[in-house]
Amino acid sequence: MSVIEIRDVTKAFGERQVLEGVDLSVAEHEAIALIGASGSGKSTLLRCIDLLEEIDDGDILLDGEVITDPSVDPVGVRRKLGFVFQAFNLFPHMTVLENVTIGAIKSGEMKKDEARDRARELLDRFGLAGREDDRPERLSGGQQQRVALVRAVAPGPRALLLDEVTSALDPELVGEVLEVVRELKDEGMTMVIATHEMSFAREVADTVAFLNGGRLVEMGPPGQVLDSPSLPETKRFLGRLHTAGLA
Amino acid sequence: MNRPRPRSSADPSAGPDGSAILKEGGRRAERERAKRARSRRGQAVAFGSSLLILGGLAFLILTSSGWPEVRSQFFSVEVFRESFPGILSAFWLDVKMFLAIEAVVLVLGLLIAVVRSSVNPALFPIRILAALYCDIFRGIPVILLIYLFGFGIPTLELEGVPGDPLILGCTALALAYSAYVAEVYRAGIASVNQTQTDSALAVGMTRIQALRYVVLPQAIRRVRPPLLNDFISLQKDVALVAIVGVIEAFRQAQIDTARDFNFTPLIAAALLYLLVTIPMARLLDYISARDDVVRGAAR
Ligand SMILES: Nc1ncnc2c1ncn2[C@@H]1O[C@H](COP(=O)(O)OP(=O)(O)OP(=O)(O)O)[C@@H](O)[C@H]1O
Ligand SMILES: [Mg+2]
């Protein structure tokens, strides 16, 4: 059974149709890379899965249960999913440790000590030992984004939603963040990754899905979609990335 | 680095013969000396000009033909001694009013701001009421409100409503200041980026938790200077309840002034207000400066 299943999802902002009939299913331990031009709807799709946006039509299922029904409590759903934003979005008035633990503590899912122990363990593992008591502003962009990743995985989510987690970083800091994602993937974390880094998509993703103007037009293994795309739109998009030196 | 390192010509800070280092040291000492000399000169100039201007001003005032008159009317030591104890004890009422009103204002203002900032459709009617409240109480002169409350409400003889002008006057002040402070809080809440709420929701907080633990702490930190500014205004404005017959420091000073035909009691009252407002103003400066430093460092 898929962990996440998206069925014929439609979403508009006012007059602007942003997602149109999107179908996608993410199996356990699978990593899907969402690619597509700016404005194609990648972030919106991820936000819809985490119920940060309301869809207009269709269904989204988590572990076989419809989560987009109005009767479903979005808070409970979000606790089962981890989300990492493009611009870190750490809480600036909290220490690193508080950032990582506050979700689990306030949701009552973990006791304070338990949450702290787990957070320390994860911070250690991802090279952030000794930074527990620092404010985020004292950390580099790469470190902040690693903290954001730890914050998302600390409660042990069913799946991780990553929205261009490296695009706000200086180029020399991208590697350390991708390394964390790679490790999480190796541990079998189920992931949906919106990204502009084609080499990363190729390396980490099991499946690449190409969004074009709110429609999922092509999907398949990275080798197939990135090297021999079947649609002219996909070819054009990848061609533009090539000329821009991004692929 | 502990390892001893032979000074090589590859060292970019040294010239071919290492002389640059020496010259560098010499120039630094020279600059330090120049800087010290400049700062000494600056201090001397500041001192001299202060002496000149303040001294000149004092001289002009003290030698002017009207000075003896001013002194006996405004700065009479005798009258001061006589009236000060009474004004001081009346001033305690100002302090108590300020503390009580401030406590109400901080809570009520926050409540109104939170309601006005909410997006919950169920709160729509309350949101409208809160907006109306702010418009009305910000738009009416405080002195009119106090008069209306202090004299108007007792004539209604309402069941369970206190008729004490002190309480009614303070209520009017609290309502007006809650409207000002609500707007300050609201600006703070609006200044916290939506992405912070998104992150809070994404880590599994409820909307109320996101507000309580993520948005409000940041919002309040940002509006501390304007909040303190409103505190300072309130510290003085409590004197306005004098118009409904409450005998606080200003009213007591007025009574003394009328009795002796001497304005020194009012000066005494003014000093007492300054005694509380000036430290608050310095605290405000301190907090603003510190926040600037923190913000600068974060950049
Ligand atoms: N809150 C919103 N209100 C109105 N329009 C929005 C909103 N959020 C996104 N949009 C619009 O929806 C479209 C899709 O945006 P989205 O952010 O999902 O694209 P994206 O694929 O993530 O782009 P990028 O690669 O630049 O991040 C864009 O045209 C955008 O302007
Ligand atoms: Mg995006």
Side-chain angles (χ1 to χ4, degrees):
Chain A
M1 186 177 62
S2 343
V3 177
I4 296 171
E5 196 169 336
I6 298 168
R7 289 184 189 155
D8 201 17
V9 161
T10 297
K11 166 81 187 167
F13 286 112
E15 295 289 290
R16 184 192 292 264
Q17 200 66 39
V18 177
L19 296 174
E20 279 187 86
V22 174
D23 288 293
L24 181 70
S25 92
V26 190
E28 181 110 49
H29 309 309
E30 188 184 17
I32 293 197
L34 282 179
I35 63 169
S38 184
S40 57
K42 305 182 293 294
S43 300
T44 305
L45 183 57
L46 291 177
R47 290 172 61 85
C48 287
I49 299 172
D50 209 25
L51 306 184
L52 294 170
E53 304 286 354
E54 226 174 297
I55 59 172
D56 298 334
D57 205 2
D59 292 305
I60 300 178
L61 289 76
L62 180 61
D63 286 325
E65 283 179 45
V66 177
I67 56 173
T68 41
D69 205 81
S71 65
V72 175
D73 174 24
V75 176
V77 173
R78 292 191 199 109
R79 284 176 188 163
K80 291 189 211 148
L81 293 168
F83 198 111
V84 180
F85 299 83
Q86 180 171 345
F88 327 143
N89 290 8
L90 295 177
F91 306 128
H93 59 300
M94 297 183 194
T95 63
V96 165
L97 195 64
E98 287 165 344
N99 261 282
V100 174
T101 55
I102 185 139
I105 293 173
K106 293 306 167 197
S107 67
E109 244 151 52
M110 284 189 206
K111 290 243 168 45
K112 204 165 184 170
D113 292 337
E114 187 190 353
R116 280 165 173 257
D117 287 347
R118 175 157 170 78
R120 285 220 171 80
E121 199 182 297
L122 283 167
L123 289 169
D124 274 4
R125 251 193 57 203
F126 295 119
L128 294 156
R131 308 313 297 264
E132 290 89 347
D133 298 323
D134 280 334
R135 293 284 152 111
E137 70 193 21
R138 305 272 308 263
L139 272 52
S140 74
Q143 289 169 329
Q144 289 187 41
Q145 195 60 298
R146 280 184 282 151
V147 173
L149 277 158
V150 169
R151 180 172 72 175
V153 297
R158 285 291 288 139
L160 207 51
L161 309 170
L162 308 182
D163 191 3
E164 302 202 30
V165 291
T166 58
S167 64
L169 294 175
D170 292 336
E172 75 270 21
L173 300 177
V174 167
E176 61 186 67
V177 172
L178 294 187
E179 185 53 41
V180 174
V181 180
R182 216 171 274 133
E183 247 181 76
L184 292 171
K185 163 65 180 159
D186 289 345
E187 278 168 30
M189 179 67 78
T190 308
M191 298 193 270
V192 185
I193 310 168
T195 184
H196 279 146
E197 309 256 349
M198 294 307 139
S199 55
F200 180 63
R202 188 190 300 277
E203 182 195 344
V204 169
D206 305 294
T207 307
V208 171
F210 174 55
L211 263 175
N212 188 36
R215 291 178 181 279
L216 240 179
V217 289
E218 183 156 6
M219 190 158 78
Q224 180 192 315
V225 176
L226 299 176
D227 296 330
S228 46
S230 55
L231 289 178
E233 290 93 334
T234 320
K235 278 187 193 132
R236 228 177 298 133
F237 170 70
L238 292 170
R240 271 204 303 273
L241 285 186
H242 268 293
T243 42
L246 288 170
Chain B
M1 218 179 288
N2 298 325
R3 193 159 44 91
R5 193 169 51 125
R7 184 183 285 167
S8 75
S9 56
D11 189 339
S13 67
D17 53 353
S19 62
I21 299 231
L22 281 174
K23 250 193 245 153
E24 190 67 40
R27 237 184 274 128
R28 170 177 298 175
E30 211 173 284
R31 276 199 212 105
E32 293 275 304
R33 263 196 305 279
K35 211 193 282 174
R36 269 199 303 274
R38 217 168 20 218
S39 108
R40 261 199 309 274
R41 215 161 25 222
Q43 279 166 8
V45 169
F47 182 74
S49 75
S50 309
L51 202 66
L52 203 69
I53 291 180
L54 296 180
L57 220 56
F59 177 79
L60 274 180
I61 292 170
L62 294 177
T63 58
S64 74
S65 60
W67 173 243
E69 188 72 1
V70 171
R71 199 171 110 173
S72 68
Q73 275 297 310
F74 288 81
F75 302 103
S76 155
V77 176
E78 225 168 282
V79 178
F80 186 92
R81 267 214 207 104
E82 211 170 286
S83 61
F84 188 76
I87 295 172
L88 180 63
S89 72
F91 186 70
W92 279 121
L93 183 57
D94 288 89
V95 172
K96 278 186 273 184
M97 284 193 291
F98 166 72
L99 292 175
I101 295 171
E102 190 60 48
V104 172
V105 164
L106 283 175
V107 176
L108 188 59
L110 185 60
L111 214 64
I112 295 166
V114 165
V115 166
R116 287 198 72 181
S117 306
S118 75
V119 289
N120 191 335
L123 289 179
F124 180 75
I126 307 181
R127 207 147 58 226
I128 294 286
L129 284 179
L132 211 62
Y133 171 92
C134 287
D135 282 351
I136 289 175
F137 282 92
R138 267 191 317 159
I140 300 176
V142 185
I143 194 162
L144 192 158
L145 274 179
I146 294 172
Y147 198 92
L148 195 63
F149 272 64
F151 289 135
I153 290 182
T155 64
L156 302 176
E157 291 175 355
L158 293 173
E159 195 78 36
V161 175
D164 184 351
L166 170 67
I167 291 177
L168 290 168
C170 287
T171 306
L173 263 175
L175 291 175
Y177 268 83
S178 295
Y180 308 152
V181 166
E183 290 302 286
V184 170
Y185 278 130
R186 197 161 70 102
I189 291 171
S191 79
V192 178
N193 207 306
Q194 168 67 29
T195 56
Q196 285 287 311
T197 303
D198 284 348
S199 297
L201 295 178
V203 299
M205 288 189 214
T206 62
R207 285 207 170 265
I208 291 179
Q209 286 174 333
L211 188 71
R212 161 78 181 76
Y213 298 108
V214 174
V215 177
L216 286 184
Q218 296 181 59
I220 290 173
R221 194 160 309 189
R222 279 180 213 183
V223 299
R224 266 180 320 195
L227 273 184
L228 274 178
N229 230 347
D230 280 349
F231 278 23
I232 294 174
S233 299
L234 180 60
Q235 280 178 336
K236 308 170 290 177
D237 276 359
V238 286
L240 289 170
V241 298
I243 64 155
V244 291
V246 173
I247 300 184
E248 47 68 69
F250 163 60
R251 185 82 190 101
Q252 181 63 51
Q254 224 183 354
I255 292 168
D256 293 353
T257 295
R259 190 188 52 215
D260 301 340
F261 299 110
N262 186 298
F263 291 96
T264 304
L266 285 173
I267 298 292
L271 282 177
L272 287 171
Y273 289 109
L274 287 177
L275 212 63
V276 293
T277 52
I278 288 182
M280 195 71 113
R282 289 293 83 77
L283 177 67
L284 170 61
D285 289 347
Y286 168 74
I287 287 179
S288 308
R290 198 191 48 189
D291 287 358
D292 282 350
V293 169
V294 170
R295 226 169 285 138
R299 228 177 263 133

